Amino acid sequence: MFAENVIPFKTATTGLVSYIALDQYMKPQRDARESRNGFDGIVGSSKTLRGVLDQIRTVAPTDATVLIEGETGTGKELIAHAIHTQSRRGNRPFVKLNCAAIPLGLLESELFGHEKGAFTGAVGQKIGRFEAANGGTLFLDEIGDIPLELQAKLLRVLQEQEFERLGSTYTHRVDVRVVAATNQDLARLVAEKKFRMDLYYRLNVFPIAVPPLRQRLEDIPMLVAHFVNKYAERMAKRIETITSDALEALVRYPWPGNIRELQNLIERAVILTNGDVLQIAALPSKAPVSTEPVTLEDAERDHILHALRESNWVVGGARGAAARLGVTRTTLISKMRKRGLSRTTAYGAV
């Protein structure tokens, strides 16, 4: 499974243990980074990730509004920053606002600014994020949490590039590109009348779907090496290897929290590691159940992966994955090819 740079090591209690050198995953990472300037922090070389990067290259040179959709922890902010970096606005401000983190009463002021005395506590003039981002890019994270009463004002800025600060009648004009992100199904919110249809279509000019980590299994070893290198350097540690069993466990885990969960786990592992072998704490036996909707295609892909793992990647036969799924061997192979599933991609071998 992990053929390269595997060091056999005998122990008295566990027999043969395979150790994998983490630096073998750093070179592909460096090569990928050098070949795609402007994608700093985005780690991986999987087919699904390359598709997202191709979309970024396509839309970045334009001024089109982009809607980034994906589960929590998938790296939507990195995608937004890459769009900004690759655009003609790359040397101008990149301003961020998490719409879910700002109390309702302050969100309008954060977006558009206010004048002194506009409301209780407004002791001075303040510019909003749109003014701060003038000439550059404004990243609105968790756009689905903007209340309905503010959505009309946001739509006006997107369409007319003008607004008034709270407490003022003076109209400010700006030149701002908006990149929005959400982990919610905005189309469903529109149907439930919780999100304006006209604003949805104005935001959804160029949608980019960021894949969850469970659809990027071949990127996990590279991400592990990246985070180990990052945190080991901060803590002045030298961690060079990981056991094949530990790496396989990381690849098998479903990662409901996506890359953010993996990053936090690796940081904790680096803290706990005293030697040169990364010490991974036990993973949860049962991942938290996600309440976020998945597509039918995602659900089928996950179901196929589960059956393949349970059958140890045996496709045919009475105990094979095809029999578990109730389909013929040829049908399963066809579905695997369609979704790019193989034992190599699923376990991150390079």
Side-chain angles (χ1 to χ4, degrees):
M1 182 172 65
F2 299 109
E4 300 182 15
N5 297 339
V6 176
I7 308 165
F9 183 78
K10 279 282 188 178
T11 69
T13 55
T14 60
L16 187 66
V17 177
S18 295
Y19 291 83
I20 300 173
L22 289 168
D23 63 0
Q24 70 172 294
Y25 300 109
M26 295 302 295
K27 185 179 185 302
Q29 184 184 139
R30 287 190 293 267
D31 292 345
R33 186 166 58 243
E34 290 170 3
S35 66
R36 58 186 201 214
N37 290 333
F39 293 98
D40 291 343
I42 300 177
V43 176
S45 59
S46 62
K47 181 180 179 182
T48 51
L49 180 62
R50 292 198 305 270
V52 170
L53 300 186
D54 287 342
Q55 288 182 290
I56 293 173
R57 292 188 186 97
T58 299
V59 75
T62 74
D63 271 340
T65 304
V66 179
L67 179 62
I68 305 171
E69 301 171 292
E71 296 176 9
T72 298
T74 50
K76 296 187 289 295
E77 184 178 326
L78 287 175
I79 300 299
H81 193 266
I83 292 170
H84 171 73
T85 303
Q86 299 264 330
S87 74
R88 63 178 180 84
R89 302 171 182 265
N91 60 348
R92 303 292 293 170
F94 177 74
V95 178
K96 302 176 287 185
L97 177 65
N98 187 324
C99 301
I102 308 296
L104 173 60
L106 297 178
L107 185 55
E108 185 173 0
S109 173
E110 285 293 326
L111 286 168
F112 309 122
H114 64 253
E115 299 291 345
K116 181 178 179 180
F119 52 84
T120 303
V123 296
Q125 185 188 79
K126 176 185 176 181
I127 69 169
R129 304 298 173 97
F130 272 99
E131 280 185 86
N134 192 23
T137 302
L138 176 59
F139 174 52
L140 297 177
D141 198 7
E142 306 300 349
I143 192 74
D145 288 297
I146 287 188
L148 276 169
E149 53 265 37
L150 264 184
Q151 292 177 20
K153 293 186 177 182
L154 178 59
L155 178 63
R156 180 195 172 200
V157 185
L158 292 176
Q159 291 179 333
E160 309 295 336
Q161 293 279 289
E162 62 182 33
F163 65 93
E164 291 83 35
R165 293 179 189 151
L166 282 173
S168 172
T169 57
Y170 178 78
T171 299
H172 294 265
R173 292 197 60 83
V174 288
D175 173 23
V176 175
R177 182 195 197 157
V178 171
V179 176
T182 182
N183 63 357
Q184 301 186 62
D185 183 349
L186 291 189
R188 177 177 56 82
L189 294 182
V190 169
E192 296 173 354
K193 301 189 182 304
K194 296 178 181 178
F195 201 87
R196 290 179 63 108
M197 181 181 293
D198 47 6
L199 178 57
Y200 170 68
Y201 287 124
R202 187 63 188 81
L203 290 168
N204 201 38
V205 174
F206 194 95
I208 295 179
V210 183
L213 188 53
R214 64 179 176 274
Q215 292 181 10
R216 296 175 49 194
L217 299 182
E218 60 267 48
D219 288 337
I220 289 178
M222 199 180 295
L223 285 162
V224 170
H226 169 75
F227 291 130
V228 169
N229 183 66
K230 173 181 177 179
Y231 292 115
E233 187 174 311
R234 285 186 186 178
M235 301 175 199
K237 293 186 176 184
R238 185 173 179 177
I239 301 174
E240 299 178 342
T241 60
I242 183 174
T243 67
S244 58
D245 286 346
L247 188 55
E248 182 170 338
L250 293 176
V251 173
R252 285 178 179 270
Y253 184 67
W255 300 109
N258 292 293
I259 297 173
R260 186 179 298 133
E261 183 184 6
L262 174 62
Q263 179 177 356
N264 293 340
L265 182 140
I266 296 301
E267 182 179 9
R268 182 167 67 250
V270 170
I271 293 171
L272 295 173
T273 299
N274 293 318
D276 62 357
V277 181
L278 185 68
Q279 301 298 309
I280 300 292
L283 293 167
S285 58
K286 185 176 182 181
V289 177
S290 173
T291 58
E292 296 172 348
V294 296
T295 66
L296 184 61
E297 183 177 350
D298 289 348
E300 185 177 54
R301 186 182 193 278
D302 293 345
H303 195 47
I304 291 172
L305 268 176
H306 178 73
L308 287 166
R309 288 168 177 163
E310 289 296 311
S311 63
N312 197 27
W313 287 83
V314 175
V315 175
R319 297 185 178 181
R324 290 171 182 266
L325 294 169
V327 298
T328 65
R329 179 177 176 275
T330 54
T331 297
L332 178 55
I333 290 173
S334 175
K335 289 179 178 292
M336 289 171 64
R337 286 174 178 167
K338 181 179 178 181
R339 288 159 180 77
L341 293 175
S342 68
R343 186 162 189 163
T344 300
T345 58
Y347 289 118
V350 296

